[in-house]
Amino acid sequence: MNICVVGLQWGDEGKGKVVDILAEDSEIVVRYGGGSNAGHTVVIGDERFALHLLPSGSIRPGVTCVIGNAVVVDPDVLIGEIDGLAERGISLDGRLFISENAHVVLDYHKREDQLREESLGKQKLGTTIRGIGPCYADKVGRSYAVRMGDFRDPGRLGEKLGHIIDYKNKLFGALYGAEPIGVGALAEKCARYADRLVPFTTDTTELLHEAIGAGRSVLFEGAQGSLLDLDHGTFPYVTSSNSSSLGLPAGCGVPARMVEKYLGVAKAYTTRVGAGPFPCEQDNEIGQYIRDKGNEYGTTTGRPRRCGWFDGVAVAYGVKIGSIDALALMHLDTLTGLKELNLCHAYEIDGKSTTFFPANIDRLALARPVYETLPGWDEEISEVTSFDELPTAARDYVRRIEAVVGSPIEMIGVGPKRSQTIVRT
Ligand code: IMP
């Protein structure tokens, strides 16, 4: 079966663990968007793996890993991950395939991200400074873009880099008064990237169509979350790719209808990093409790995440635009010990009640969450292995979320390890 796993909030929902569980039954795992701004943490036994670019499923030996065309690849990060896994005895040789059409994040993209954010002051977006926005902007602009396939022809790439650096120096100098960048060091780096990455570079669209045609099972792994989607999220406080499941077809060349199941991942509460509206935010001791207990600090940047109550309106939106068949509800154990839980099932905007999430941030800024209050539980649940063993209040909370978001909950996370997952099918 071909499955897509996608985040339904503002990222960091715990997709890595869900993907890792499902990868057991998959022959191929695919990343279809985003770049090293993503951070997936997977805990196996006592080992912790933090990946940014490789699909989380890649830590399983024997699984074929694909980086699709809409992923923006930072070669330093990718080579670091390949070598890091090799040091731990996990080789990607012969099983990692990177799209020749994937765009490359180079040093000047990170510099541009940083210069732009600094110059924006209070208006900054709070990006991860991984060069994601500038690289996607160059992709859309076309004239100054580098793709993975360009590493195959060093002569032509060298010429292209000269032309790009000339343009970037003019731009950075004029806009930010920045020092010029030399082309020599970058060209040397690119030669090293080519040596290491060309062997993995191929036509991944053809590979995926052949694999699906041959009946192989594919797992598509979304990065970030649906509310950070460039077109359908809380623009401009979003990432620069289609991070909902709508990005899948364009992101790897596989039509949406070839995917048999869309599994949405949401936390039992809400978090977000960076700036932007967040109606259910609890900038108080409740938020701090969740942050500390759930270790809500960014995998990529280490930034403390903003925390709040479960936003049923936001998740229901992710379910609708993502064609979600079922949900994985993560971090239920983080809520243990809270006396009462607030669950948002509607917004009030201009005195009117709505259950449809307004992605337009001017309307969202006016939204007042309408909460219902449910009892919490004190019992430790991190060793619970079946739904029926959960405390009554926890079961009621899960069932109420199902009703509000309009999707069954098939998996429940009760701790960071793969084994700490209740499967309800
Ligand atoms: P960018 O993707 O680095 O341009 O950042 C744009 C926004 O997306 C910022 O608010 C980031 O914090 C957020 N963001 C990007 N990647 C992730 C992620 O993997 N998890 C959560 N937020 C993210």
Side-chain angles (χ1 to χ4, degrees):
M1 170 142 74
N2 302 325
I3 305 177
C4 171
V5 173
V6 66
L8 298 181
Q9 295 159 319
W10 280 287
D12 311 314
E13 296 91 349
K15 297 177 291 294
K17 190 172 89 161
V18 175
V19 165
D20 182 53
I21 292 168
L22 297 173
E24 205 166 331
D25 299 318
S26 306
E27 293 161 272
I28 303 178
V29 289
V30 183
R31 265 284 299 266
Y32 63 78
S36 63
N37 49 349
H40 298 299
T41 309
V42 183
V43 180
I44 300 182
D46 293 328
E47 285 217 76
R48 205 178 174 81
F49 296 85
L51 298 175
H52 299 283
L53 262 174
L54 286 170
S56 314
S58 49
I59 53 182
R60 290 192 170 272
V63 171
T64 298
C65 309
V66 174
I67 294 183
N69 54 273
V71 176
V72 287
V73 179
D74 181 332
D76 281 325
V77 175
L78 185 57
I79 293 168
E81 289 185 356
I82 295 170
D83 291 347
L85 288 189
E87 275 164 26
R88 293 162 90 167
I90 303 171
S91 169
L92 286 154
D93 287 344
R95 65 183 187 97
L96 171 65
F97 300 91
I98 309 165
S99 168
E100 59 196 357
N101 294 342
H103 285 248
V104 183
V105 179
L106 292 168
D107 287 345
Y108 53 80
H109 289 124
K110 288 176 257 189
R111 181 111 179 88
E112 191 170 345
D113 206 352
Q114 187 188 10
L115 289 167
R116 187 184 304 167
E117 283 284 271
E118 281 170 6
S119 76
L120 283 167
K122 280 199 178 133
Q123 305 295 315
K124 72 176 182 180
L125 299 174
T127 74
T128 58
I129 318 283
R130 297 294 166 119
I132 306 302
C135 183
Y136 279 116
D138 282 345
K139 169 179 172 174
V140 177
R142 295 156 297 161
S143 311
Y144 301 102
V146 176
R147 305 205 291 180
M148 289 301 300
D150 291 330
F151 286 134
R152 291 190 186 123
D153 187 339
R156 209 174 56 185
L157 179 60
E159 257 176 53
K160 200 176 205 177
L161 286 176
H163 170 64
I164 293 173
I165 294 299
D166 185 40
Y167 166 75
K168 295 284 177 187
N169 278 339
K170 282 186 194 140
L171 194 73
F172 297 175
L175 288 179
Y176 312 113
E179 290 292 314
I181 314 162
V183 74
L186 184 64
E188 269 173 39
K189 271 185 155 188
C190 284
R192 190 170 60 83
Y193 299 154
D195 279 349
R196 293 294 312 276
L197 298 179
V198 166
F200 297 110
T201 304
T202 189
D203 182 341
T204 49
T205 306
E206 181 181 359
L207 181 151
L208 287 172
H209 277 265
E210 280 184 0
I212 293 171
R216 297 179 73 195
S217 53
V218 186
L219 183 60
F220 299 88
E221 190 175 324
Q224 288 89 37
S226 302
L227 304 176
L228 287 173
D229 188 287
L230 178 62
D231 288 282
H232 302 282
T234 49
F235 189 90
Y237 300 103
V238 292
T239 190
S240 298
S241 60
N242 286 118
S243 53
S244 67
S245 64
L246 296 167
L248 189 158
C252 63
V254 173
R257 70 160 122 185
M258 282 185 168
V259 181
E260 283 120 352
K261 182 166 181 175
Y262 289 86
L263 182 68
V265 187
K267 271 193 263 210
Y269 46 91
T270 316
T271 64
R272 103 167 277 181
V273 271
F278 180 175
C280 295
E281 181 166 20
Q282 297 299 299
D283 191 10
N284 52 30
E285 69 285 0
I286 300 276
Q288 192 57 44
Y289 182 90
I290 294 174
R291 188 175 305 115
D292 290 341
K293 197 137 185 278
N295 189 25
E296 292 296 352
Y297 296 87
T299 319
T300 302
T301 58
R303 289 182 289 179
R305 296 179 184 141
R306 299 159 64 193
C307 299
W309 295 121
F310 185 85
D311 187 338
V313 179
V315 173
Y317 175 70
V319 166
K320 283 175 197 135
I321 65 165
S323 169
I324 299 300
D325 298 297
L327 237 69
L329 189 73
M330 311 310 283
H331 274 268
L332 188 64
D333 56 304
T334 299
L335 298 178
T336 301
L338 287 170
K339 230 179 159 43
E340 289 181 329
L341 302 172
N342 281 348
L343 196 165
C344 167
H345 63 261
Y347 291 162
E348 208 180 278
I349 302 176
D350 285 337
K352 286 197 199 106
S353 175
T354 178
T355 54
F356 200 89
F357 182 80
N360 177 301
I361 59 160
D362 294 333
R363 281 197 72 218
L364 189 58
L366 302 175
R368 207 180 54 80
V370 183
Y371 291 119
E372 57 197 77
T373 302
L374 288 93
W377 58 90
D378 275 326
E379 300 90 327
E380 195 47 66
I381 60 170
S382 51
E383 298 305 323
V384 170
T385 52
S386 77
F387 185 69
D388 295 339
E389 284 171 56
L390 285 172
T392 310
R395 274 183 280 149
D396 288 348
Y397 184 66
V398 170
R399 288 196 186 108
R400 187 62 195 135
I401 289 179
E402 287 181 316
V404 169
V405 308
S407 179
I409 294 173
E410 277 187 356
M411 282 185 185
I412 300 166
V414 291
K417 292 187 192 155
R418 192 196 295 170
S419 57
Q420 291 172 302
T421 310
I422 299 171
V423 180
R424 273 177 89 201
T425 38

